[in-house]
Amino acid sequence: MTNTTTTQPHPLLIKLGLADHPRVVMDITGNETPEADGIIVVRNPSTGLPLAGVKLDDAASYEATTAKSAEAFKTFRKVPAPLRGELVRRIGNEYRTVLEDLGSLLSLEMGKIKAEGIGEVQETIDIADYAVGMSRQLCGITMPSERPEHTMKEQWLPLGPVGVITAFNFPNAVWGWNAMLAAIAGDTTVWKPSLLAPLTAIATSMIGEKIAAEMGFENIFQLVIGTDDVVGETMIADKRYPLISATGSCGMGRRVGAVVAGRLGKCLLELGGNNAVIIEPDANLDLALKSTVFGAVGTAGQRCTSTRRLIIHESIADAFTAKLVKAYETVNIGDPLDESVLMGPLINESSVQQYENAVSEAVKQGGTLLTGGTRVDLGGELSGGHFVKPTIIRAPASNELPMAYEETFAPILYVFTYKTLDEAIDMQNSVVQGLSSAIFTGSSNAAQRFLAPTGAGSDCGIANINLGTSGAEIGGAFGGEKDTGGGRESGSDAWKVYMRRQTCTINYGDELTLAQGIRFE
């Protein structure tokens, strides 16, 4: 057992009100087992040192939270949608006041660089702005009836309490995508965040809870922080949640999907990705280089949209790969709160081991290690951090590299070559996941083949032309196909998943007229 104690709160915890929060324990002595004394120790991935302890929910507190959410829904669904939009508008404005501090806390706890941490909070602000407009556009359609003096229409109605389960890598924005749209839909939200980033979740939820309470909407946004066996399994089996929105691994999604389907509930699943970039000979190679580096190295490869495979035409592969290696070797690794740093740590030691195992296995399978492949000891206060080098592995001439078909949440890029565009698209589609994809080309024909309306192009939920696999905007629906789960969050008509559709027929005449010409006299 490793004893750890912290008595000096990090300044960010004080500024954001976490040091005095009833869930947060600043004087901690315990081990890394989440169940120990009902407290989980949250560690800084850049140092390995504890930031704070967080109290876990048990079965009783989960039940109390869920009951309050179900009761609050009965009242909140009656609030006019534009007023629900006003709630979201005020929440977005409150996030603007803490944008840098909350983004910095996210970087401190999760390890993504400060620019990305602030950018993630900006995503929540953006989806709040988007949701405000949507609150006046939750429109159904009217349809002509085949019967005289009849009218048909559809309307969208609040669904109920929504259970939101999020992963460590986006501990703010994914909640925002769900909670802001659920709120304008008239739903309440209970959030189960990752145990690897609960401090950001508490700070994020505090703002929603505060603004809702100020407007008289108690228990609209709530938080349950607990283990999968005590909280997670109970939540996905709970019929009081008509919708479970879950972000995580494909294996987790299969479990959630099976349990929720067993009670005939609805799922919104955002699962893994094994995303590829195709580069054609006529592409803007400087643009492709920058985009590939960001896609593969950003967030230390811990995005579901991270670029994991590079599929490049054989005529330019050697020269481009040499430039890519050179660019990788200039990536500054270190404290993610240092604005000169481009890549922070992996989330924990287990992730480092998975990275090392993946590199070792890929080399055994015939891959050539071009750069990286090792952990990094930065010394000093960062000596206990979970830092690794961004890595490029080139597949053998046969393009056979089984390890590349497995998603490793780390900065590992596998390089493949191709002869024809059809071959490249087949390679891109050959993995079980179907989240994000990209092609760099100067040819409109190649771009259109990649986006073929017949479905013969990219089989992913996201397909980009001349930009990388990461960096989705909130205006478009985000999600993927195949083992990625088929879910869609954020923009477009994603709001519909948080509501239920009702078809209404109105007879404004005095006669009984049946459909399909049926006579009953």
Side-chain angles (χ1 to χ4, degrees):
M1 177 180 294
T2 302
N3 290 327
T4 56
T5 304
T6 177
T7 56
Q8 297 298 320
H10 191 280
L12 285 169
L13 303 186
I14 298 173
K15 286 186 73 174
L16 291 166
L18 291 172
D20 298 320
H21 193 279
R23 280 188 179 271
V24 179
V25 180
M26 294 313 308
D27 295 317
I28 53 174
T29 301
N31 56 39
E32 297 187 39
T33 304
E35 296 83 356
D37 302 321
I39 296 174
I40 183 171
V41 178
V42 183
R43 296 179 179 275
N44 181 346
S46 296
T47 65
L49 298 176
L51 290 169
V54 172
K55 296 177 183 177
L56 297 175
D57 280 286
D58 57 18
S61 58
Y62 163 83
E63 174 57 33
T65 299
T66 299
K68 287 188 291 186
S69 184
E71 191 62 29
F73 169 70
K74 296 176 183 178
T75 301
F76 190 57
R77 64 183 175 184
K78 299 177 183 178
V79 175
L83 183 53
R84 302 194 298 250
E86 172 64 11
L87 166 64
V88 170
R89 184 187 71 81
R90 294 187 190 183
I91 291 172
N93 285 342
E94 189 72 11
Y95 281 126
R96 285 179 167 91
T97 69
V98 296
L99 174 60
E100 183 166 351
D101 288 339
L102 186 54
S104 297
L105 173 66
L106 198 158
S107 298
L108 175 72
E109 182 180 36
M110 183 263 150
K112 64 176 61 173
I113 62 173
K114 185 175 179 179
E116 288 189 86
I118 292 173
E120 179 174 340
V121 179
Q122 184 63 50
E123 270 197 80
T124 297
I125 295 170
D126 292 345
I127 194 63
D129 288 350
Y130 184 89
V132 172
M134 289 303 305
S135 69
R136 295 180 180 268
Q137 301 179 65
L138 305 177
C139 304
I141 62 173
T142 58
M143 298 158 284
S145 172
E146 67 185 60
R147 291 172 281 187
E149 298 185 308
H150 282 64
T151 296
M152 294 179 65
K153 70 172 186 176
E154 287 182 350
Q155 61 180 356
W156 292 87
L157 307 174
L159 184 63
V162 177
V164 178
I165 301 172
T166 61
F168 75 88
N169 57 337
F170 280 86
N172 172 274
V174 174
W175 173 82
W177 290 357
N178 284 276
M180 298 301 97
L181 292 183
I184 64 164
D187 301 335
T188 55
T189 301
V190 176
W191 179 19
K192 179 190 179 299
S194 167
L195 295 183
L196 298 177
L199 295 174
T200 301
I202 293 171
T204 297
S205 187
M206 282 170 59
I207 291 174
E209 293 169 21
K210 183 188 81 168
I211 301 300
E214 289 175 355
M215 293 184 65
F217 304 138
E218 298 284 350
N219 301 320
I220 302 307
F221 306 109
Q222 294 192 87
L223 199 62
V224 288
I225 303 175
T227 58
D228 290 342
D229 58 341
V230 174
V231 171
E233 288 290 330
T234 306
M235 173 180 275
I236 64 177
D238 195 330
K239 289 188 175 183
R240 288 171 292 184
Y241 294 100
L243 172 66
I244 295 291
S245 176
T247 303
S249 69
C250 296
M252 179 269 260
R254 290 189 188 94
R255 173 62 183 171
V256 172
V259 174
V260 176
R263 60 177 176 85
L264 299 182
K266 295 171 62 177
C267 265
L268 195 169
L269 298 175
E270 296 288 359
L271 310 175
N274 194 338
N275 316 293
V277 167
I278 297 172
I279 303 181
E280 285 271 85
D282 61 0
N284 179 331
L285 297 182
D286 183 57
L287 178 63
L289 180 69
K290 293 175 181 176
S291 298
T292 301
V293 173
F294 172 73
V297 173
T299 322
Q302 296 173 114
R303 290 180 177 229
C304 53
T305 55
S306 291
T307 304
R308 310 209 179 277
R309 295 175 296 140
L310 177 63
I311 303 171
I312 185 165
H313 193 272
E314 60 184 11
S315 65
I316 59 171
D318 291 344
F320 186 88
T321 302
K323 291 181 179 180
L324 191 63
V325 169
K326 186 175 180 181
Y328 264 51
E329 292 174 349
T330 66
V331 171
N332 188 14
I333 304 167
D335 181 354
L337 291 174
D338 181 342
E339 294 187 1
S340 68
V341 166
L342 293 180
M343 194 182 93
L346 295 180
I347 187 65
N348 55 22
E349 185 62 26
S350 175
S351 293
V352 175
Q353 293 174 5
Q354 291 173 23
Y355 160 89
E356 292 176 330
N357 292 340
V359 172
S360 175
E361 188 62 28
V363 171
K364 288 179 183 178
Q365 293 171 0
T368 301
L369 180 62
L370 301 182
T371 188
T374 61
R375 71 182 306 153
V376 180
D377 184 355
L378 297 177
E381 64 179 12
L382 301 181
S383 60
H386 310 301
F387 297 96
V388 300
K389 288 186 177 180
T391 300
I392 302 173
I393 298 175
R394 186 157 178 174
S398 64
N399 277 335
E400 296 294 329
L401 193 63
M403 193 64 218
Y405 288 82
E406 298 184 25
E407 182 188 25
T408 303
F409 238 43
I412 303 174
L413 180 67
Y414 301 101
V415 180
F416 298 85
T417 59
Y418 71 93
K419 297 179 184 295
T420 69
L421 181 55
D422 286 343
E423 178 188 4
I425 292 174
D426 286 345
M427 292 171 64
Q428 124 87 48
N429 294 342
S430 64
V431 296
V432 296
Q433 304 91 344
L435 180 52
S436 188
S437 59
I439 186 171
F440 287 85
T441 179
S443 165
S444 62
N445 283 350
Q448 289 300 320
R449 286 167 66 185
F450 188 70
L451 302 178
T454 60
S458 168
D459 65 0
C460 294
I462 299 170
N464 296 330
I465 308 297
N466 292 329
L467 70 159
T469 59
S470 287
E473 298 180 35
I474 60 92
F478 178 90
E481 301 300 323
K482 302 190 296 187
D483 280 14
T484 303
R488 292 297 185 275
E489 293 174 310
S490 191
S492 185
D493 65 348
W495 59 271
K496 292 181 177 178
V497 76
Y498 304 95
M499 306 193 81
R500 60 183 177 91
R501 187 197 313 244
Q502 186 177 74
T503 301
C504 310
T505 306
I506 304 159
N507 178 3
Y508 57 88
D510 296 321
E511 301 293 331
L512 172 63
T513 306
L514 301 178
Q516 292 84 47
I518 296 173
R519 298 177 64 86
F520 189 75
E521 298 178 354

